[in-house]
Amino acid sequence: MQDFGNTQFFSVETEPETGVEVVLATVYEALTEKGYNPVNQIVGYIMSGDPTYITSHKSARSLIMKVERDELVEELLTKYIEAKHWKNN
């Protein structure tokens, strides 16, 4: 029987640097090299799940598909919060 009187906590394990951060950096670089606006293309991919928003240059498309989209959002939001010096629990 579940206890609905208490709030559950969701904790995300910290990925090693070879995870999402490296994937985003590689994808960003590949998109830039091919002349695309990397922000627009990555947002398009995150919102739609359509991998054709990401170039296959440098295997960026297959690389980004190995990461869940919610992990991409989490990484981007975490870096944004850190850059703004907001409190991150």
Side-chain angles (χ1 to χ4, degrees), residues 3-87:
D3 181 7
F4 291 107
N6 293 319
T7 301
Q8 292 187 27
F9 290 94
F10 182 78
S11 179
V12 178
E13 294 181 24
T14 304
E15 291 286 325
E17 188 176 320
T18 57
V20 180
E21 187 173 352
V22 172
V23 168
L24 281 169
T26 303
V27 169
Y28 183 93
E29 183 179 298
L31 288 165
T32 301
E33 286 179 5
K34 294 304 277 185
Y36 296 107
N37 179 319
V39 172
N40 290 348
Q41 298 306 114
I42 293 170
V43 168
Y45 172 70
I46 290 172
M47 296 298 292
S48 70
D50 183 351
T52 61
Y53 279 98
I54 307 300
T55 182
S56 58
H57 179 62
K58 290 190 170 182
S59 301
R61 185 178 297 157
S62 62
L63 190 60
I64 203 166
M65 289 172 60
K66 293 179 181 179
V67 178
E68 296 293 328
R69 289 183 292 152
D70 65 317
E71 292 178 89
L72 296 171
V73 172
E74 180 186 339
E75 180 69 19
L76 293 168
L77 186 56
T78 298
K79 294 301 181 188
Y80 181 82
I81 289 169
E82 289 172 1
K84 293 289 188 178
H85 304 288
W86 295 343
K87 185 177 180 182

